[in-house]
Amino acid sequence: MRHLANSLRALKSIRHAYVSFEPALQEFGSIKPAADRHARSLHQALVASAAGIPADILPEDKAPVNEEEQAIRNEVDVDLADLASTSSTAAVLAANSVSSSWSAGAFSSFSTNTAPISNTVAVEDDTWTFEIGRLAKLADGSCSLRSGSTTVLTTVASAPGFFFNRRDLRSVPFLVDYREKLADGAADPEVLAINAASAALAVSDIPWGGPLGAARVAWINEKLVINPKPSDINEDQAELSLLVAATEESIVMLEASGKIISEEKFIEALRAGVAAARHFLPVQKDLQKSRNRGKRVAELAGADPAAGRRVSEVAREAADSILRSSDLGCAPRTQALIAAKSKIIETMRAAGCWRAEFARVPGSGCVTNSDVEHAFSAVLGSTMRSLVIQEGLRPDGRGPIDLRPFKIEADHVPVVHGSAVIDAGDTQALCTATIGNISEMQRIESLLGGDDSKRLFVHYSLPDFALVEGVERSGISGGPLVRHEMDRSSFIERALLPVLPSEDKFPFSVRLNAETLAADGGSGTAAVCGSAVAMTDAGVPLRSLVAAVSVGMVSQGGAWNGEPENWPEDERRPPLGQYELITDPIGLENSLGDMELRVAGTADGITACQLDVQIPGGLPLEVVEEAMKRAKVARIRALGAMEDALQSSSHSGGKNRETTVADKNAAMFGTLRIPMTSIGAVIGKEGSVLRGIEAASGAKVNIGDGGILTIFAPTTAQFESARAALRAAAGDTLEQGTLYTGKVVGVKDFGAFIQIPGCDMRALLHISEIAPQRIRAVEDVVKVGDSVEVVFLGRDNRGMLKVSRKAALAMNNSSSVSSSSEISGAIDQ
């Protein structure tokens, strides 16, 4: 799923979809689509994103007016009959490109040149081979990319846009499906998939702003490695793994995992990654040129121009007033926006210019609900950008560098191991940490070979009630909210894993639940902060606290908002113009802004980073670098607030469940080290002793390396009961030099075995320790069943318990002499 999200982020930012308010050949009718055929090709797609606005269609029953129009219709029928669903071996990407109208030019791009074409590019000590026209011939575009013995096939298919009347949509649906079958470990299939997908789109007739290239960069043993093997990126060697996608001018996506790496080394790797990604652009351009296939006409419509101007005149004052009302919270602001749109519709009705969608007449100035939605969104976006850039005023009253009010309460749920509630403005998250047995680690069979395991589980959730917009999740098969939850869970895991103690120091698994209770932007970063506090509250000895912050951006170039007149036709992305970075953006700023950069890390460096780009065409490298520096400042401030929360908690520094118990009903965990020679005694014959201890106490015990036992119990009493039983079974209850009374349970030529109450291990009474003088045989002094006083001497080199009757006799004699002296002295006095 993470690979799928990366592919989507890389591709969606450079779509070349623009709005035209002048539909071509409006008098032409439309043709009923073969919907089932396209549904089959997209039914397993998991990701939807935005790229433009489909326009409306004229009624189907309008007949062609001349032979030219009829010929066009015939051509449509033939060409679209050839479109079929496709599947792939490693990656499947499908894109819907929708046009506002159809004309002869819309179909002139279908190419008859379908002969296989291949091209190669040198990558370090390897060669990558791009091939088009050989596989998946019925798709709009396909490309297979091979590196070594790893091959990725990508296909793109589009539904003809003139079959849809969806002016209510704000974007072209863009869907991505990624599947891994098998990889050999020599090449990174994720990097291959993004490059192959770009090539497939480039050689197709689907309009977009590519091509793009993708590369992975890693710091390994203090060296920058370009496109390393997956096997080279491991927990011990790689200090950073960074995946970046870029065009000739911009960055469109990045995702990184680091082991507390400095911003300076991160930026150095980012620059190298961008250069490496652009290495794959020429080969894609050559393939596109050799295919010589044009692009479809994709005139995507938002508001009708005349209607948009009428709505804008009414909406600007309301938008400016709402955005200047810094006292409005998330819910009141949303309600005010809804009320403003309703008032606009009432105003249009009163003026007699409101129409239902089916009755609209383009260019007449009549207004529909879709016109209001599009125009109001454009006005709201341009107003917000103007306020932030020109006045430094944000919707909630903060300045560009200010964090929202930040509050964390540790130990909110006392019966779990650790918990924290975090409030960041109107965003709220409840995070809980549960410590588990090391045997509960998730075992993973890697497609790259071998087995792997993970002992940190993160479950981030964003329920419907947390969203003021009332968005509904789109089913369990991978709707937008489901994918969002999986993506954020991965980000939180990568952010916290570098500070989790090594297994030998902390032999436990950890499960984190991050429940978003209210979302107004930054729910993922809030979950990172809350989870780190919850783990500390649970007693997990983190190497350092981790905080996460996000940085957004608004720009003049991003004020496109469906208005293309300021976007030069020869530009792949609009000019950026003036821009302003904004720290910790709220939900409205995210939806109307141009990017969101999420950075997690400690005070010393970065552990995870993720970039989402909304502005068409991507971002310049220098803007991303500036945002990274802004994020560091905000992260340090967030860490200070987290430390204050832990210090003010009733369990400052975290709960040590082995020594401090706040609630007798609280679940407990801890460790106990025993000699390796005692493990057999603890386990017992066929596990009988260990099973008996678990059954009697209700606790769960795991035996690890080095004689370390991990204990988990639902309550304090059960924990202590299991701990005492384990100590007894291991012979760990005896104190050296202490006198005990035991029973002889066995006699051998070399000595006797003594069972001491409270200790399940038998102790050896060697023949030399039975009496002060030399004896002929053990049974001359002690026999089975005898009660005997002994002194515990400790363990021998094999871990065997040793006791001495001779020492006990000496101790008793010494005590008797001392007592006699005291009595005698008392009489003398």
Side-chain angles (χ1 to χ4, degrees):
M1 179 63 72
R2 180 172 59 85
H3 297 341
L4 178 117
N6 290 340
S7 298
L8 173 65
R9 277 195 291 269
L11 297 173
K12 74 176 185 178
S13 299
I14 59 169
R15 69 273 183 183
H16 190 64
Y18 56 91
V19 176
S20 172
F21 296 140
E22 300 295 335
L25 301 178
Q26 294 181 8
E27 65 273 22
F28 287 178
S30 65
I31 302 173
K32 189 74 173 177
D36 291 343
R37 183 176 61 206
H38 299 294
R40 283 195 300 271
S41 67
L42 301 175
H43 79 284
Q44 291 182 335
L46 301 177
V47 176
S49 182
I53 309 298
D56 54 328
I57 312 170
L58 298 177
E60 295 184 14
D61 56 358
K62 189 166 185 176
V65 296
N66 54 43
E67 294 182 359
E68 182 181 1
E69 295 177 21
Q70 184 61 57
I72 293 174
R73 289 196 176 187
N74 294 338
E75 185 177 358
V76 173
D77 289 335
V78 172
D79 287 331
L80 296 182
D82 292 336
L83 294 176
S85 61
T86 61
S87 60
S88 76
T89 302
V92 181
L93 295 99
N96 281 359
S97 179
V98 195
S99 65
S100 64
S101 60
W102 49 275
S103 64
F107 307 102
S108 62
S109 61
F110 285 93
S111 173
T112 58
N113 180 16
T114 59
I117 301 173
S118 64
N119 208 337
T120 61
V121 58
V123 181
E124 300 299 319
D125 56 351
D126 192 11
T127 299
W128 289 16
T129 302
F130 290 78
E131 184 179 36
I132 62 173
R134 176 66 180 84
L135 302 175
K137 297 180 179 180
L138 297 184
D140 288 319
S142 67
C143 176
S144 65
L145 176 54
R146 175 173 296 177
S147 172
S149 55
T150 298
T151 300
V152 172
L153 170 66
T154 62
T155 62
V156 293
S158 64
F162 12 85
F163 293 149
F164 296 95
N165 183 9
R166 297 295 303 277
R167 287 204 324 136
D168 57 306
L169 290 179
R170 291 185 174 274
S171 62
V172 170
F174 186 72
L175 306 101
V176 179
D177 186 10
Y178 177 94
R179 305 180 194 176
E180 284 185 5
K181 302 296 185 180
L182 187 63
D184 64 358
D188 188 341
E190 186 176 11
V191 176
L192 294 176
I194 297 176
N195 284 286
S198 173
L201 284 165
V203 301
S204 74
D205 63 345
I206 298 172
W208 80 310
L212 61 81
R216 188 181 298 278
V217 181
W219 275 106
I220 301 177
N221 296 328
E222 294 300 321
K223 294 182 179 179
L224 267 178
V225 180
I226 306 297
N227 289 317
K229 298 178 181 178
S231 57
D232 293 337
I233 306 175
N234 57 60
E235 185 176 347
D236 298 326
Q237 293 182 346
E239 188 179 2
L240 172 71
S241 174
L242 184 150
L243 175 66
V244 60
T247 65
E248 288 182 340
E249 306 91 0
S250 306
I251 296 177
V252 297
M253 184 277 293
L254 74 85
E255 180 172 284
S257 302
K259 293 176 61 178
I260 314 181
I261 189 168
S262 67
E263 271 75 10
E264 292 75 17
K265 294 182 72 173
F266 184 96
I267 291 176
E268 184 179 351
L270 177 60
R271 292 171 179 171
V274 171
R278 289 170 177 165
H279 181 65
F280 300 107
L281 298 181
V283 64
Q284 296 183 48
K285 292 180 179 179
D286 289 344
L287 290 173
Q288 184 177 15
K289 184 178 180 180
S290 62
R291 180 59 75 205
N292 192 27
R293 191 175 185 184
K295 296 295 185 180
R296 302 182 195 175
V297 175
E299 298 177 343
L300 311 181
D304 181 85
R309 286 190 293 270
R310 177 167 286 179
V311 172
S312 299
E313 293 171 358
V314 181
R316 292 191 185 281
E317 182 178 353
D320 185 79
S321 175
I322 294 172
L323 293 177
R324 289 181 180 274
S325 301
S326 58
D327 57 328
L328 293 178
C330 177
R333 186 184 302 111
T334 302
Q335 293 300 320
L337 293 174
I338 294 174
K341 285 188 284 188
S342 298
K343 185 175 181 180
I344 292 173
I345 293 177
E346 292 176 4
T347 302
M348 296 299 115
R349 286 181 182 273
C353 57
W354 184 87
R355 296 289 185 274
E357 190 69 35
F358 70 88
R360 64 180 289 268
V361 178
S364 66
C366 62
V367 176
T368 68
N369 285 345
S370 294
D371 293 322
V372 172
E373 288 291 334
H374 295 310
F376 189 79
S377 177
V379 170
L380 193 65
S382 61
T383 303
M384 187 198 74
R385 293 168 189 276
S386 177
L387 291 175
V388 173
I389 295 174
Q390 298 178 14
E391 302 182 31
L393 180 63
R394 298 170 65 177
D396 57 0
R398 288 179 294 152
I401 66 172
D402 296 334
L403 286 170
R404 284 178 282 186
F406 199 76
K407 179 182 177 183
I408 302 180
E409 177 188 352
D411 195 24
H412 185 80
V413 184
V415 296
V416 298
H417 292 143
S419 63
V421 172
I422 177 170
D423 292 276
D426 286 325
T427 294
Q428 185 181 67
L430 170 63
C431 303
T432 58
T434 306
I435 312 302
N437 197 306
I438 195 66
S439 62
E440 296 174 348
M441 292 193 303
Q442 182 180 5
R443 303 294 177 181
I444 304 171
E445 183 179 354
S446 174
L447 288 173
L448 301 178
D451 294 332
D452 198 1
S453 61
K454 57 186 297 184
R455 60 191 182 107
L456 177 61
F457 307 85
V458 179
H459 301 268
Y460 165 93
S461 65
L462 180 62
D464 299 343
F465 66 79
L467 298 167
V468 70
E469 301 93 342
V471 177
E472 297 181 359
R473 63 186 60 242
S474 302
I476 61 174
S477 62
L481 281 183
V482 176
R483 289 191 321 276
H484 172 87
E485 291 173 338
M486 298 182 71
D487 184 56
R488 293 298 184 270
S489 295
S490 175
F491 178 74
I492 298 168
E493 178 182 323
R494 290 183 288 109
L496 296 174
L497 191 59
V499 298
L500 192 67
S502 59
E503 190 173 325
D504 59 335
K505 296 181 179 179
F506 188 73
F508 303 99
S509 59
V510 181
R511 171 170 176 169
L512 295 173
N513 280 341
E515 312 285 346
T516 303
L517 306 182
D520 184 27
S523 61
T525 54
V528 172
C529 299
S531 296
V533 173
M535 291 174 70
T536 305
D537 182 54
V540 180
L542 297 179
R543 296 170 182 171
S544 179
L545 277 179
V546 173
V549 295
S550 60
V551 177
M553 187 193 77
V554 294
S555 68
Q556 290 179 333
W560 171 51
N561 281 322
E563 301 173 4
E565 57 268 19
N566 295 323
W567 186 356
E569 293 184 1
D570 58 346
E571 293 281 348
R572 291 191 175 175
R573 66 171 176 85
L576 196 61
Q578 279 188 286
Y579 68 89
E580 184 69 61
L581 296 178
I582 50 177
T583 300
D584 191 18
I586 62 174
L588 183 65
E589 292 172 325
N590 277 335
S591 63
L592 297 176
D594 299 327
M595 78 160 191
E596 183 180 12
L597 175 70
R598 290 177 288 276
V599 183
T602 69
D604 298 321
I606 297 168
T607 57
C609 181
Q610 194 176 69
L611 173 67
D612 287 338
V613 178
Q614 285 103 322
I615 186 172
L619 293 169
L621 176 59
E622 56 270 18
V623 174
V624 179
E625 293 180 4
E626 183 182 353
M628 292 294 302
K629 297 175 182 177
R630 173 74 65 86
K632 180 180 180 179
V633 176
R635 188 174 75 246
I636 299 300
R637 294 168 58 192
L639 285 169
M642 294 165 63
E643 291 171 354
D644 293 342
L646 286 171
Q647 291 175 1
S648 62
S649 170
S650 59
H651 299 285
S652 178
K655 302 173 186 174
N656 184 345
R657 292 292 188 184
E658 296 188 56
T659 59
T660 303
V661 180
D663 191 334
K664 291 183 178 181
N665 294 321
M668 287 190 63
F669 65 93
T671 61
L672 175 66
R673 184 184 292 274
I674 63 173
M676 293 293 294
T677 52
S678 300
I679 292 179
V682 170
I683 296 175
K685 185 178 181 180
E686 297 180 350
S688 58
V689 174
L690 185 59
R691 287 199 303 270
I693 293 173
E694 290 181 331
S697 65
K700 188 74 175 176
V701 181
N702 181 72
I703 300 178
D705 297 335
I708 297 179
L709 309 181
T710 55
I711 311 168
F712 308 85
T715 66
T716 301
Q718 290 172 299
F719 177 86
E720 295 297 344
S721 174
R723 186 183 179 92
L726 290 168
R727 291 189 64 192
D732 196 35
T733 57
L734 305 181
E735 294 185 11
Q736 189 170 345
T738 303
L739 183 67
Y740 295 95
T741 300
K743 180 182 288 188
V744 180
V745 294
V747 175
K748 300 291 183 182
D749 293 339
F750 53 82
F753 290 104
I754 309 300
Q755 189 73 59
I756 300 175
C759 178
D760 295 344
M761 283 188 70
R762 298 182 302 172
L764 174 63
L765 175 59
H766 194 266
I767 189 172
S768 64
E769 296 291 339
I770 294 178
Q773 69 279 4
R774 184 182 179 88
I775 63 173
R776 184 182 62 83
V778 174
E779 290 185 327
D780 290 346
V781 181
V782 296
K783 297 180 177 60
V784 174
D786 288 352
S787 181
V788 59
E789 286 188 329
V790 294
V791 173
F792 179 56
L793 301 179
R795 298 175 183 265
D796 61 18
N797 294 333
R798 298 174 298 170
M800 193 71 182
L801 303 183
K802 300 187 301 179
V803 294
S804 173
R805 178 176 175 270
K806 179 170 61 176
L809 292 173
M811 185 179 292
N812 288 333
N813 290 335
S814 175
S815 298
S816 299
V817 171
S818 176
S819 298
S820 298
S821 298
E822 291 177 0
I823 295 172
S824 174
I827 294 175
D828 289 343
Q829 292 178 352

